Amino acid sequence: MKMEEHMRTDLKRVPTMKIFDFAFFTKSIEGIVELTIGEPDFNTPEHVKEAGMAAIANNRTHYAPQRGTAGLLSAISDDVAKKIGKVYDPATEILVTNGVTEGAYAAVTAITNPGDVILVPTPTFSIYMADAAIAGGTAVEVDTSKTNFRLTPELIQSYLDEYGDRVKGLVVVNPTNPTGIAMNQDELDAIADVVRDKPIFVIADEIYDQLAYTEGADQYPSIVKSLPEQTILLNGFSKSYAMTGWRVAYMCAPKPITDELFKVHGFAVTDVATFVQDAAEEALRNGQEDPAAMRAQYRERRNVLYQGLQELGWETTNPEGAFYIFAKIPDYLEQDDEKFAYDLAEKAKVAVTPGSYFGAGGEGYVRFSYATDLNVIKTALDRLQKYCAARR
Ligand code: PLP
């Protein structure tokens, strides 16, 4: 008897994270330079670590309130208000989550009944597709490759026409992973207009909001500004404060929605560790300069990588945010992005992530991450240049 055959059928539809298998493979190659990693190479700022350690020393090691500590909830409320001008009530409209990963899970599973459709613009970080499948729904991939990887109102409308009332949610990640595209407020307002007053939630993942490089980015464009009543806002500390391993983030939504989200969060996760929340509070209260310092370095790395790829004649996205460049594999090279990435890793010792791992529209592309040292980027460009030259 094969017990796995008796497991949930909808779980079998969950996409696997090939990305991890690929990372496992590249790690086994000696001397490889990795432009695959979607996490800051910086360490958590010292004052934040100290706050976490002091909290442990002070026995802040018991269960935390399930929605979050009063201190962190209020710091989040203040920070969100400062950035995007929307005041969320700390007591009823914010939940502290175990990473945006948990926020995404809570948001998608709380709004999806079996058979429902969640529109997920792709290429994307695949948690949203998995969450919809776990909930028994269907993630429909909105392929943005024909609109320069930008989500447009027309594109969304075409999917609404096709799927009608089944659509319960639209995911908007901005700036986005893996393309580095950052939409401005006008673009977000236009997207909001398409779903306004329809029974559709927008799940706005703004985890890269501090990592936007173009003019006006410091104004924090957000779909919350145009659609507060229908939006579930997700954000966190992993990227902005180099706190990936702490597992702390948050979600904000109007009270009745938050009450429903709380049911998933409270029963699945209970709470985020108390001392972790104290450290996150320190980051928001006294670390307002930390993201800017890292952003300056990412910008420099982006410029070097972008310039280098242009000089090699690669066609790429214009990287406006996050720490990724999505690049089309030139015609004279292997066009299957997975085969290409494995070959490049083996022969040139350069690791980049296959574009198809991010869903529809990613085929024929690879993702370069510049969350890595400038010297690593320069070495990668040098090796890539030799690899390309040998195959022209
Ligand atoms: N959302 C996006 C768009 C991401 O790229 C990532 C990580 O790469 C996450 C969420 C996960 O964030 P967290 O570490 O807060 O779970």
Side-chain angles (χ1 to χ4, degrees):
M1 192 170 60
K2 287 189 176 159
M3 285 309 287
E4 61 272 26
E5 284 171 9
H6 303 281
M7 296 179 80
R8 271 174 56 181
T9 25
D10 47 2
L11 259 191
K12 299 205 176 96
R13 292 206 314 270
V14 174
T16 50
M17 295 282 259
K18 285 184 178 174
I19 226 167
F20 293 128
D21 295 338
F22 183 67
F24 189 72
F25 167 75
T26 57
K27 286 255 171 312
S28 69
I29 299 177
E30 217 188 300
I32 197 159
V33 287
E34 300 198 67
L35 276 65
T36 40
I37 298 154
E39 91 164 293
D41 58 326
F42 300 110
N43 290 321
T44 303
E46 284 304 320
H47 67 107
V48 176
K49 290 196 281 192
E50 278 160 20
M53 290 187 280
I56 294 176
N58 289 326
N59 296 313
R60 300 273 293 159
T61 53
H62 300 272
Y63 282 130
Q66 286 180 303
R67 285 174 181 256
T69 61
L72 179 55
L73 290 170
S74 129
I76 292 167
S77 177
D78 291 349
D79 190 58
V80 172
K82 197 164 88 189
K83 285 193 295 193
I84 61 180
K86 162 83 183 138
V87 180
Y88 288 101
D89 177 3
T92 60
E93 298 187 313
I94 304 175
L95 298 175
V96 175
T97 60
N98 190 295
V100 167
T101 303
E102 192 237 322
Y105 174 80
V108 173
T109 54
I111 66 173
T112 309
N113 277 306
D116 287 346
V117 164
I118 304 295
L119 296 180
V120 185
T122 58
T124 189
F125 183 59
S126 60
I127 48 176
Y128 295 96
M129 294 190 255
D131 292 338
I134 289 168
T138 307
V140 171
E141 300 183 32
V142 176
D143 179 352
T144 63
S145 60
K146 305 284 177 312
T147 49
N148 294 322
F149 298 111
R150 305 189 96 84
L151 188 57
T152 66
E154 296 77 21
L155 193 57
I156 299 167
Q157 188 59 55
S158 68
Y159 283 82
L160 293 181
D161 292 345
E162 188 173 347
Y163 291 94
D165 293 348
R166 286 180 64 201
V167 178
K168 297 290 154 39
L170 167 70
V171 176
V172 177
V173 182
N174 194 52
T176 197
N177 173 9
T179 60
I181 293 291
M183 288 179 286
N184 61 32
Q185 192 61 46
D186 288 345
E187 291 175 280
L188 294 169
D189 289 348
I191 292 168
D193 286 345
V194 185
V195 291
R196 189 182 313 286
D197 296 331
K198 296 193 173 77
I200 297 174
F201 289 99
V202 170
I203 299 174
D205 178 338
E206 299 185 357
I207 193 165
Y208 294 104
D209 71 341
Q210 300 274 3
L211 299 178
Y213 310 104
T214 40
E215 217 180 305
D218 53 354
Q219 304 299 311
Y220 296 107
S222 172
I223 199 158
V224 171
K225 292 182 188 173
S226 36
L227 204 65
E229 296 309 317
Q230 282 171 243
T231 303
I232 300 169
L233 171 67
L234 308 181
N235 206 336
F237 298 79
S238 289
K239 317 289 175 175
S240 320
Y241 292 92
M243 290 178 73
T244 44
W246 296 74
R247 309 311 301 136
V248 57
Y250 57 87
M251 58 203 304
C252 305
K255 180 180 181 313
I257 301 171
T258 303
D259 286 346
E260 294 306 302
L261 298 170
F262 179 61
K263 293 175 189 166
V264 183
H265 164 77
F267 289 114
V269 174
T270 311
D271 58 62
V272 172
T274 316
F275 52 88
V276 167
Q277 296 198 51
D278 288 354
E281 182 184 343
E282 165 68 20
L284 287 185
R285 291 284 183 216
N286 299 314
Q288 292 283 324
E289 303 305 317
D290 297 337
M294 293 186 247
R295 183 165 58 237
Q297 295 199 49
Y298 287 131
R299 182 183 275 119
E300 190 188 354
R301 296 163 176 191
R302 174 199 68 157
N303 292 347
V304 169
L305 180 58
Y306 180 67
Q307 194 54 38
L309 289 171
Q310 300 307 304
E311 281 163 17
L312 288 181
W314 281 53
E315 196 185 305
T316 72
T317 48
N318 183 15
E320 304 157 292
F323 31 56
Y324 310 109
I325 297 181
F326 212 49
K328 193 163 179 0
I329 304 167
D331 293 346
Y332 60 88
L333 298 175
E334 166 64 56
Q335 290 297 291
D336 178 314
D337 52 90
E338 186 174 51
K339 281 192 192 144
F340 168 76
Y342 272 92
D343 193 62
L344 187 71
E346 264 171 346
K347 309 263 169 61
K349 297 194 184 227
V350 175
V352 293
T353 311
S356 57
Y357 289 1
F358 302 100
E363 301 85 3
Y365 284 78
V366 284
R367 184 189 77 174
F368 289 79
S369 162
Y370 50 89
T372 188
D373 192 80
L374 209 46
N375 287 329
V376 170
I377 294 171
K378 287 180 182 161
T379 306
L381 282 169
D382 196 41
R383 293 182 185 180
L384 186 63
Q385 190 272 329
K386 293 193 175 85
Y387 178 92
C388 292
R391 285 159 183 80
R392 259 197 192 276

